[in-house]
Amino acid sequence: MKDLVWDRSLSVDVPEIDEDHRRLVDLFNLLNHAVAEGGAQDYIEAVMEELISCTAWHFKHEERLMLKYGYEGLLEHKAEHDELIASATALQQKLLHESKPVLSDDIEFLEHWLTGHILGLDMDLGAYLCEAM
């Protein structure tokens, strides 16, 4: 098990978005530790719910900024947001309704999901917002 570490490489240079991302990294690490340490299933489910809820809120936050500043990549970015939430929700449903434990593969999926989005479309958005704000 390794923690995600917030560092300069994950910064999009927009403080309010970086603050959201730091919170998501912290929640990911809580989930990662809970799974690795064999935490109680109800605790793991609660952390997963918080991670998904905070991610959904964060995505709405980004989308509001995209609308406010006329970001042309809004539709593509929102489509990825929708896909990421659907994937995370499907994993959550697997845990809740099929009583399956979170596996290391699930944690790896969530790590790639989080970092891939930040290092991809969010970097483009950050560059745009730095100019527009």
Side-chain angles (χ1 to χ4, degrees), residues 110-122:
L110 291 171
E111 178 182 356
H112 290 293
W113 173 76
L114 179 59
T115 58
H117 183 70
I118 293 172
L119 295 172
L121 290 180
D122 279 356

Side-chain angles (χ1 to χ4, degrees), residues 5-27 54 57-59 61-62 64-65 77 114-115 117-127 129-130 133:
V5 177
W6 178 265
D7 62 19
R8 188 82 192 114
S9 71
L10 292 175
S11 175
V12 298
D13 292 324
V14 178
E16 62 189 280
I17 293 177
D18 284 345
E19 184 178 319
D20 292 354
H21 288 164
R22 279 188 201 94
R23 179 68 183 136
L24 296 175
V25 166
D26 289 345
L27 286 168
C54 286
W57 181 90
H58 165 66
F59 286 171
H61 179 201
E62 284 185 351
R64 176 180 52 81
L65 292 173
H77 206 118
L114 179 59
T115 58
H117 183 70
I118 293 172
L119 295 172
L121 290 180
D122 279 356
M123 287 296 175
D124 295 338
L125 174 61
L129 291 175
C130 283
M133 294 176 90

Side-chain angles (χ1 to χ4, degrees), residues 23-65:
R23 179 68 183 136
L24 296 175
V25 166
D26 289 345
L27 286 168
F28 169 82
N29 287 333
L30 277 176
L31 181 63
N32 190 16
H33 281 266
V35 170
E37 296 163 6
Q41 186 68 16
D42 58 341
Y43 176 73
I44 291 170
E45 290 169 5
V47 175
M48 182 75 149
E49 174 62 30
E50 187 177 1
L51 178 60
I52 292 170
S53 294
C54 286
T55 300
W57 181 90
H58 165 66
F59 286 171
K60 294 298 180 195
H61 179 201
E62 284 185 351
E63 290 162 15
R64 176 180 52 81
L65 292 173

